[in-house]
Amino acid sequence: MTYQVTHYINGKEVTSTGRTQEIFNPATGEVIGKVTMADKSIIEQAIQAAKAAFVTWSAMTPLKRARILFKFKMLLEDNIDELAKIINQEHGKTLVDARGSIQRGIDVVEYACGIPNLLKGSFTEEVATEIDSYSIRQPLGVCVGITPFNFPAMIPLWMFPIAIACGNTFIIKPSEKDPSCAIKIVEIAKKAGIPDGVVNVVQGDKEAVDALITHPDVKAVSFVGSTPIAEYVYKTATSHGKRVQAFGGAKNHCIVMPDADLDQAADAIIGAAYGSAGERCMAITVAVTVGDQVANELIEKIKPRVKELKIGPGNIADIEMGPLVTQAHWDRVKSYIDHGVDEGAELVVDGRDYKPKGHEKGFYMGASLFDKVKPDMKIYKEEIFGPVLCIVRAPDFNSALKLVNEHEFGNGTCIFTNDGNAARTFASKVQVGMIGINIPIPVPVAYHSFGGWKRSMFGDVHMHGPEGVQFYTKLKTVTQRWFKSKKGADFTMPTH
């Protein structure tokens, strides 16, 4: 039996006619549902609902908003298993990985509960004689979040809780590949007491995106996806006067130094490269080994474990890697592996033909490992977004650092070393937004901010944490004086 996924506007599901897209269960390859694409009339309905709700929601005290968000946090925790099952069914992520990603989203909701303190401005008495000055942060209005398929719960939860805590209203446009999770989240939000119209969901593709990012009543846009689309969203939305943060692709390097504990490094790299089938913008996809001996020893440790990864349906206990999200994405990842072979990289482990017994129709791919990858190869330059790890050999630390800094992407990176000076130099000199020292996936916790550099991000303000509050508010500064007596006109430049 299949199901239909529609929109959620002003506190209720809204059906519409028009184009639909099939939803697959990646573990079986079967069609399990259809999602209806929003047209301009649905987009308009959602924006007007959010615009109307903004009037009363923005006027609510931050403390009252925080109390509702705290209840929302508790309800998310109560429903974490159900949300994980939805993610597993439509995305293919293992249940344990899905729960972990939801928890990282809940952490941001918890941070948003501190909004009364986070919105506190500053006050300076007597900036001049009998004149005071103070600053306040106020909400923008209707905000939009366009979220990717790989984290259907976490990324929306990184966006809208901060936005609505600040007093904005929000429209989520989830990926059409796994659209159900967003609906479930806003239903939970309603049960927590978030008023109708404050958080809405519209399904769709480019037509919906274009309508949202060009609409005059939308004030801010948050986007996570591929770099070409991120750049398109950024340029289009900013040209229409929107505030935009658009997060794109990645090619995350880890540098493995000769003094590193290779057993620990191998453990970390295996999980970071192949977890979630490599469908993470923070996945380690390139291991830069300093010296041939390090490369040889690391491959010796990794190779048998890559072959032994437990791959299958993510709802089975002990499975370490589930399927890719769609057949089209499987074909794309395979084409990159084919390119790597054609370009002369050494394919140490080939995962292209892997099919778990009894699940041959699912979108499964085994883990692949390349050695002797060169910087001019396509598999090095471009984001693969699949279970493929490339080993690049560098003669020394400076050469390894240069590789990282010269790549067009600058999302995340890490170094494995026991040398504090090497780690400190790396953290200081590397041109990347998120850095790990012996930590392979350095995603900042909720009370710090997330974001990359170079072509991994378009915009100036990062996601969640203090910068999330900054992004979803505008600064207003007031300079005030209360007259004790009448004073005549003053035609000179005011000074303090």
Side-chain angles (χ1 to χ4, degrees), residues 10 138 309 373:
N10 209 24
Q138 294 186 325
L309 281 172
V373 175

Side-chain angles (χ1 to χ4, degrees), residues 199-246:
V199 186
N200 309 274
V201 178
V202 293
Q203 312 291 352
D205 50 16
K206 186 178 184 298
E207 181 181 344
V209 169
D210 286 344
L212 287 166
I213 66 178
T214 60
H215 196 286
D217 288 330
V218 170
K219 304 302 180 185
V221 176
S222 298
F223 172 88
V224 176
S226 68
T227 286
I229 307 303
E231 185 172 23
Y232 170 79
V233 167
Y234 179 77
K235 289 181 176 179
T236 304
T238 52
S239 71
H240 285 79
K242 319 300 179 195
R243 180 177 294 188
V244 184
Q245 50 179 195

Side-chain angles (χ1 to χ4, degrees), residues 274-285:
Y274 302 114
S276 198
E279 294 173 327
R280 296 192 287 211
C281 70
M282 290 296 286
I284 289 295
T285 55

Side-chain angles (χ1 to χ4, degrees), residues 335-352:
S335 73
Y336 274 103
I337 301 173
D338 295 342
H339 270 291
V341 173
D342 293 342
E343 289 177 315
E346 181 182 329
L347 187 55
V348 179
V349 181
D350 185 352
R352 287 174 290 184

Side-chain angles (χ1 to χ4, degrees), residues 87-401:
I87 294 171
N88 166 256
Q89 180 173 270
E90 292 187 353
H91 173 272
K93 201 184 295 283
T94 65
L95 287 173
V96 65
D97 189 28
R99 289 190 197 99
S101 69
I102 298 163
Q103 184 57 56
R104 290 303 295 263
I106 293 173
D107 291 348
V108 174
V109 181
E110 186 172 42
Y111 177 76
C113 292
I115 199 65
N117 182 64
L118 298 171
L119 283 179
K120 281 176 19 179
S122 59
F123 185 95
T124 304
E125 186 180 28
E126 295 283 317
V127 295
T129 303
E130 297 180 352
I131 296 177
D132 306 322
S133 186
Y134 63 92
S135 63
I136 55 178
R137 302 205 72 92
Q138 294 186 325
L140 307 173
V142 178
C143 301
V144 166
I146 302 163
T147 63
F149 72 81
N150 58 327
F151 288 105
M154 186 180 79
I155 300 299
L157 291 172
W158 280 9
M159 293 178 180
F160 83 81
I162 298 286
I164 68 171
C166 293
N168 302 286
T169 53
F170 208 86
I171 299 169
I172 306 168
K173 205 300 288 181
S175 169
E176 60 275 21
K177 295 179 178 68
D178 46 10
S180 297
C181 193
I183 298 289
K184 180 62 180 177
I185 287 172
V186 295
E187 288 175 345
I188 294 170
K190 181 172 182 174
K191 289 180 182 178
I194 294 176
D196 294 347
V198 172
V199 186
N200 309 274
V201 178
V202 293
Q203 312 291 352
D205 50 16
K206 186 178 184 298
E207 181 181 344
V209 169
D210 286 344
L212 287 166
I213 66 178
T214 60
H215 196 286
D217 288 330
V218 170
K219 304 302 180 185
V221 176
S222 298
F223 172 88
V224 176
S226 68
T227 286
I229 307 303
E231 185 172 23
Y232 170 79
V233 167
Y234 179 77
K235 289 181 176 179
T236 304
T238 52
S239 71
H240 285 79
K242 319 300 179 195
R243 180 177 294 188
V244 184
Q245 50 179 195
F247 299 82
K251 198 71 178 181
N252 303 321
H253 298 61
C254 70
I255 294 178
V256 185
M257 297 291 288
D259 68 315
D261 184 319
L262 288 186
D263 288 319
Q264 291 183 340
D267 286 341
I269 291 169
I270 284 284
Y274 302 114
S276 198
E279 294 173 327
R280 296 192 287 211
C281 70
M282 290 296 286
I284 289 295
T285 55
V286 178
V288 183
T289 54
V290 177
D292 286 334
Q293 183 178 346
V294 174
N296 294 336
E297 291 182 14
L298 184 65
I299 290 171
E300 185 179 343
K301 292 179 183 296
I302 288 179
K303 179 180 176 180
R305 298 172 62 182
V306 173
K307 291 182 175 181
E308 294 165 4
L309 281 172
K310 298 174 182 176
I311 303 171
N315 58 352
I316 296 177
D318 299 327
I319 289 295
E320 296 169 318
M321 194 174 90
L324 295 177
V325 67
T326 62
Q327 181 63 49
H329 189 59
W330 189 97
D331 294 339
R332 178 181 181 273
V333 174
K334 179 183 178 296
S335 73
Y336 274 103
I337 301 173
D338 295 342
H339 270 291
V341 173
D342 293 342
E343 289 177 315
E346 181 182 329
L347 187 55
V348 179
V349 181
D350 185 352
R352 287 174 290 184
D353 295 328
Y354 180 86
K355 289 292 181 184
K357 188 175 181 180
H359 304 284
E360 289 81 6
K361 293 183 179 180
F363 309 135
Y364 296 97
M365 178 174 285
S368 292
L369 174 64
F370 277 105
D371 186 20
K372 299 175 183 175
V373 175
K374 304 299 182 184
D376 61 346
M377 293 180 178
K378 185 175 182 177
I379 57 171
Y380 175 79
K381 293 189 291 185
E382 298 183 14
E383 182 178 40
I384 300 173
F385 220 62
V388 182
L389 174 65
C390 298
I391 305 291
V392 178
R393 298 173 181 236
D396 51 49
F397 170 77
N398 287 332
S399 300
L401 179 61

Side-chain angles (χ1 to χ4, degrees), residues 14-42:
V14 175
T15 59
S16 63
T17 59
R19 294 180 301 116
T20 62
Q21 180 168 308
E22 292 176 329
I23 305 167
F24 291 87
N25 181 338
T28 65
E30 297 173 336
V31 175
I32 56 176
K34 288 186 177 182
V35 57
T36 305
M37 303 292 153
D39 57 19
K40 288 186 177 180
S41 66
I42 290 292

